[in-house]
């Protein structure tokens, strides 16, 4: 199918949906039609703009060929301007036509774990957690702590949060991987630079209908929750540990005083992890012959280095270095995330062309 045929097919489907919606209806069917119609809106608007420009180009070419000298000069000047605009619009349409990641519109579960580096790694994990919290606040997203295992000196061995808002997963999904920090720890008397790391995972938050989870596949253990340093924080077995027997995935939650609430939170994280495992399996099948540089989601892959002595942050996947580490740690992530999203778009465009 040619590009023109594909574009006409989209316009026809948009008109068909409009007619179906005008005919009335309610319930889930109408909601589904409305959602598809709204998703096609920006593509159809760009197609109409493209067709208007193509018609204008034809008219100007005729004017340049048949008009008097002044008219030809005017037409040729407008043609030059139009020819500069057309490629950008065509590229915009190609991007809009790229297959959508169905998880992009979902909320996200953020997991951060301290890696190599002991206490300094745990402190860095806490710094990353605050960085994402500030980014969420700047975008007016809801940021809710799910579970935290603290070290007692302000660090996190592990911390989980839910982030809810518009396009959360689409913006944050490239953050999964190993984040490395180079700095002088507060406990270092000799002023030596240490290197430590933390692992970040961003998972799409899923509903019950997204993942089939049979509780017979789960082993559920309860135990007393503990605070930093191992002290018991309550006297009942309120903490919950879930083990998914077919995959070996383990989720524990002890943040709430209620066993029921801890189990509900753990189930939410378990569903997200199972959903992500399935997404990764399908991605691996589709891309068995290559490994995309951006968006592999491999948690063992070092993706970014935060160098405090030099005040710079480097994303190794796209070779981008920014000399504004202080602002990045305050949640100013848009330049990094925009570059990662643009690189992903370019890679996917290259695959379909």
């Amino acid at each position: 199918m040619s590009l023109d045929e594909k574009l006409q097919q989209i316009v026809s489907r948009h008109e068909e949906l409009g007619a179906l919606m005008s005919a009335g209806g309610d319930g889930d069917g109408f909601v589904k039609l409305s959602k598809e119609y709204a998703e096609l809106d920006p593509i159809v608007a760009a197609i109409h703009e493209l067709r208007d420009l193509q018609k204008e180009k034809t008219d100007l070419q005729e004017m340049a060929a048949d008009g008097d000298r002044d008219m030809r000069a005017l037409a040729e000047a407008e043609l030059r301007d139009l020819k500069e605009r057309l490629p950008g619009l065509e590229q915009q349409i190609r991007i809009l036509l790229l297959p959508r990641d169905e998880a992009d519109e979902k909320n996200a579960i953020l997991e951060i774990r301290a890696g190599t580096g002991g206490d300094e790694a745990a402190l860095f994990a806490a710094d990353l957690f605050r960085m994402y919290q500030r980014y969420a606040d700047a975008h007016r997203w809801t940021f809710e702590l799910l579970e935290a295992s603290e070290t007692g000196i302000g660090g996190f061995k592990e911390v989980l949060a839910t982030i809810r808002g518009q396009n959360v997963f689409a913006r944050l999904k490239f953050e999964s991987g190993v984040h490395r920090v180079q700095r002088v720890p507060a406990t270092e008397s000799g002023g030596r630079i240490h290197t430590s790391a933390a692992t970040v995972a961003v998972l799409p938050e899923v509903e019950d209908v997204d993942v089939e989870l049979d509780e017979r596949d789960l082993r559920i253990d309860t135990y007393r929750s503990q605070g930093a340093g191992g002290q018991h924080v309550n006297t009942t077995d309120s903490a919950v540990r879930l083990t998914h027997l077919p995959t070996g995935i383990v989720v524990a939650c002890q943040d709430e005083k209620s066993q029921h609430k801890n189990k509900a939170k753990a189930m939410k994280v378990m569903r997200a992890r199972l959903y992500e495992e399935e997404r990764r399996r399908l991605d691996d099948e589709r891309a068995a012959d290559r490994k995309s540089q951006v968006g592999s989601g491999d948690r063992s892959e070092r993706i970014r280095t935060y160098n405090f002595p030099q005040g710079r942050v480097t994303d190794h996947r796209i070779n981008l270095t920014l000399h504004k580490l202080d602002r990045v740690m305050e949640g100013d992530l848009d330049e990094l995330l925009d570059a990662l999203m643009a690189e992903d778009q370019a890679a996917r465009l290259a695959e379909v062309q």
Side-chain angles (χ1 to χ4, degrees):
M1 183 187 297
S2 69
L3 179 60
D4 283 343
E5 288 173 331
K6 191 169 186 178
L7 298 184
Q8 182 53 48
Q9 193 176 69
I10 291 170
V11 171
S12 298
R13 176 59 178 166
H14 189 256
E15 292 172 351
E16 179 187 1
L17 289 167
L20 289 170
M21 290 164 60
S22 297
D26 51 23
D28 293 341
F30 186 81
V31 171
K32 188 175 180 181
L33 291 175
S34 300
K35 186 173 184 293
E36 185 182 353
Y37 186 85
E39 288 172 352
L40 292 180
D41 264 344
I43 306 175
V44 171
I47 293 170
H48 286 322
E49 185 180 352
L50 176 65
R51 287 179 172 175
D52 289 343
L53 287 183
Q54 288 171 335
K55 183 179 184 306
E56 186 179 348
K57 179 183 175 183
T58 301
D59 294 343
L60 288 171
Q61 286 172 333
E62 292 175 358
M63 194 182 299
D66 302 332
D68 58 33
R69 185 166 58 181
D70 291 342
M71 191 66 73
R72 283 201 303 273
L74 180 63
E76 287 167 359
E78 291 187 14
L79 264 174
R80 284 193 295 272
D81 176 62
L82 191 146
K83 286 177 180 177
E84 289 179 1
R85 292 163 57 197
L86 271 172
L89 182 56
E90 290 169 351
Q91 182 76 345
Q92 178 189 339
I93 289 174
R94 289 190 182 95
I95 291 171
L96 288 170
L97 289 175
L98 286 173
R100 296 185 57 179
D101 184 343
E102 65 178 19
D104 276 353
E105 295 180 359
K106 292 184 180 295
N107 299 315
I109 292 176
L110 172 70
E111 299 181 359
I112 304 175
R113 291 183 174 83
T116 56
D119 286 342
E120 172 61 13
L123 289 170
F124 178 52
D127 289 339
L128 290 176
F129 182 77
R130 285 188 289 271
M131 178 184 77
Y132 291 120
Q133 188 171 22
R134 288 162 181 157
Y135 183 74
D137 289 344
H139 284 259
R140 298 186 178 181
W141 294 340
T142 301
F143 193 96
E144 178 190 357
L145 177 69
L146 279 178
E147 172 72 0
S149 175
E150 301 179 43
T151 61
I153 58 169
F156 287 125
K157 295 176 186 176
E158 178 183 359
V159 61
L160 286 82
T162 301
I163 309 176
R164 295 188 176 94
Q166 187 172 10
N167 296 323
V168 170
F169 186 72
R171 294 293 295 170
L172 295 179
K173 64 182 178 181
F174 299 121
E175 291 300 284
S176 294
V178 175
H179 295 238
R180 184 178 68 168
V181 63
Q182 295 171 327
R183 64 184 176 188
V184 179
T187 55
E188 171 57 57
S189 58
R192 291 175 298 175
I193 296 172
H194 286 227
T195 298
S196 55
T199 301
V200 173
V202 178
L203 312 174
E205 185 185 40
V206 295
E207 304 298 329
D208 292 357
V209 294
D210 294 321
V211 175
E212 289 185 14
L213 179 56
D214 190 338
E215 290 210 20
R216 289 175 296 183
D217 290 335
L218 292 175
R219 186 175 73 237
I220 303 174
D221 300 309
T222 58
Y223 55 98
R224 290 186 180 181
S225 59
Q226 294 183 324
Q231 71 269 25
H232 292 294
V233 295
N234 65 40
T235 57
T236 61
D237 292 344
S238 62
V240 175
R241 182 188 299 110
L242 304 181
T243 304
H244 188 247
L245 299 175
T247 62
I249 294 174
V250 178
V251 175
C253 190
Q254 63 171 16
D255 197 54
E256 299 285 349
K257 293 181 179 179
S258 158
Q259 184 185 115
H260 177 73
K261 289 181 179 179
N262 280 327
K263 181 183 176 185
K265 282 187 174 183
M267 288 288 284
K268 179 181 293 188
V269 177
M270 178 65 76
R271 288 184 185 280
R273 289 187 184 169
L274 290 171
Y275 182 81
E276 182 65 10
E277 284 293 316
E278 180 64 10
R279 274 169 46 83
R280 192 173 300 173
R281 184 187 68 77
L282 293 174
D283 285 345
D284 288 345
E285 286 181 2
R286 285 193 292 262
D289 58 342
R290 64 155 186 86
K291 182 180 178 183
S292 176
Q293 188 179 25
V294 176
S296 66
D298 186 352
R299 300 186 199 180
S300 66
E301 177 189 10
R302 186 192 70 187
I303 63 168
R304 193 175 296 151
T305 296
Y306 304 75
N307 186 300
F308 277 75
Q310 298 180 18
R312 62 175 168 82
V313 57
T314 299
D315 196 291
H316 304 289
R317 295 164 294 178
I318 53 176
N319 296 319
L320 174 65
T321 296
L322 301 177
H323 293 275
K324 57 173 191 178
L325 179 58
D326 54 341
R327 287 165 54 193
V328 168
M329 298 310 294
E330 287 295 319
D332 185 0
L333 294 172
D334 278 330
E335 188 171 354
L336 276 167
L337 300 185
D338 288 343
L340 288 163
M341 293 176 75
E343 181 73 15
D344 176 59
Q345 283 183 347
R348 290 192 292 138
L349 279 171
E351 288 177 21
V352 298
Q353 289 177 353

